[in-house]
């Protein structure tokens, strides 16, 4: 079964450093998403991406965050200057179509720890 | 702001019995509701959904009930099996939005 792949599974960084979280969405999917879950909290939407541009973003997704699809397979989330409160599990997801919310496939996540 | 609330952080149910997970929402603009299941070290996986035009949707052992007037939905699992032990997330969305709003999750333990 096709799956969304995220690397690395764990990332430890110092506050103020830049991090890039990587994702390989399912190959025929066109819509890409980042969500995050702070420990003990709900899974929160960060951003959706389609046709090489952001289609929707939350208020969490401020100027410190950016997303990119640098080639035909990868989808990345960059945090320019990490803060302690960025520590969370970051989930990438993809879907074939925007309306296919039940066909949204999540990766296993990257646990980001900011020290 | 918690638009989707799961007030029970955990639930224990005997194997073979019915598991009922509850969820409340506040946003009357939500028109699509979903349940996701999550095992440790994995991402959430879609389980079952319901449109706001329906009040029940059934898929095998899983049934979701929607009470729009009460802004409440529930997931019934019957009979409960050991493999059902996981965290269950209630989620909701507006059709016009990309985003899905999740609740905090309920950890379900199926007891032997």
């Amino acid at each position: 079964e096709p799956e969304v792949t995220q690397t690395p599974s764990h990332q430890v960084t110092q506050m103020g450093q830049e991090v890039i979280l990587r994702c390989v969405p399912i190959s025929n999917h066109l819509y890409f998403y980042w969500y995050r879950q702070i420990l003990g909290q709900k899974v929160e939407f960060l951003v959706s991406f389609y046709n090489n541009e952001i289609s929707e973003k939350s208020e969490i997704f401020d100027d410190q965050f950016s997303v990119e699809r640098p080639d035909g397979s990868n989808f990345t989330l960059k945090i320019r200057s990490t803060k302690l409160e960025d520590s969370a599990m970051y989930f990438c997801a993809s879907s074939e179509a925007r309306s296919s919310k039940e066909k949204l496939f999540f990766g296993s996540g990257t646990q980001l720890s900011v020290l | 702001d918690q638009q989707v609330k799961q007030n029970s952080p955990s639930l224990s149910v005997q194997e073979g019995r019915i598991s009922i997970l509850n969820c409340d929402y506040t946003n009357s603009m939500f028109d699509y509701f979903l349940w996701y299941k999550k095992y440790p070290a994995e991402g959430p996986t879609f389980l079952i959904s319901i449109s706001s035009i329906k009040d029940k949707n059934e898929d095998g052992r899983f049934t979701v009930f929607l009470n729009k007037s009460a802004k409440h939905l529930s997931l019934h699992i019957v009979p409960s099996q050991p493999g059902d032990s996981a965290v269950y997330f209630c989620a909701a969305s507006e059709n016009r939005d990309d985003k899905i709003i999740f609740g905090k999750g309920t950890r379900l333990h199926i007891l032997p």
Side-chain angles (χ1 to χ4, degrees), chain B residues 40-101:
Chain B
E42 294 184 13
T45 56
F46 169 75
L47 190 58
I48 193 169
S49 62
I50 188 166
S51 162
S52 61
I53 61 172
K54 295 187 172 183
D55 54 20
K56 177 182 173 182
N57 188 27
E58 192 172 347
D59 183 3
R61 296 186 297 115
F62 303 92
T63 304
V64 56
F65 295 92
L66 175 63
N67 181 337
K68 280 182 293 183
S69 60
K71 294 194 179 68
H72 177 84
L73 62 155
S74 61
L75 174 68
H76 292 212
I77 306 172
V78 57
S80 301
Q81 297 175 353
D84 295 332
S85 293
V87 176
Y88 288 79
F89 291 101
C90 174
S93 73
E94 296 180 46
N95 205 33
R96 64 197 177 118
D97 280 351
D98 290 347
K99 65 180 179 289
I100 297 173
I101 308 296

Side-chain angles (χ1 to χ4, degrees), chain A residues 35 48 55-56 98 101-102, chain B residues 32 36 96-99:
Chain A
Y35 284 79
S48 58
S55 55
E56 188 176 342
R98 181 173 174 270
K101 291 182 175 123
E102 69 272 15
Chain B
Y32 203 71
Y36 282 82
R96 64 197 177 118
D97 280 351
D98 290 347
K99 65 180 179 289

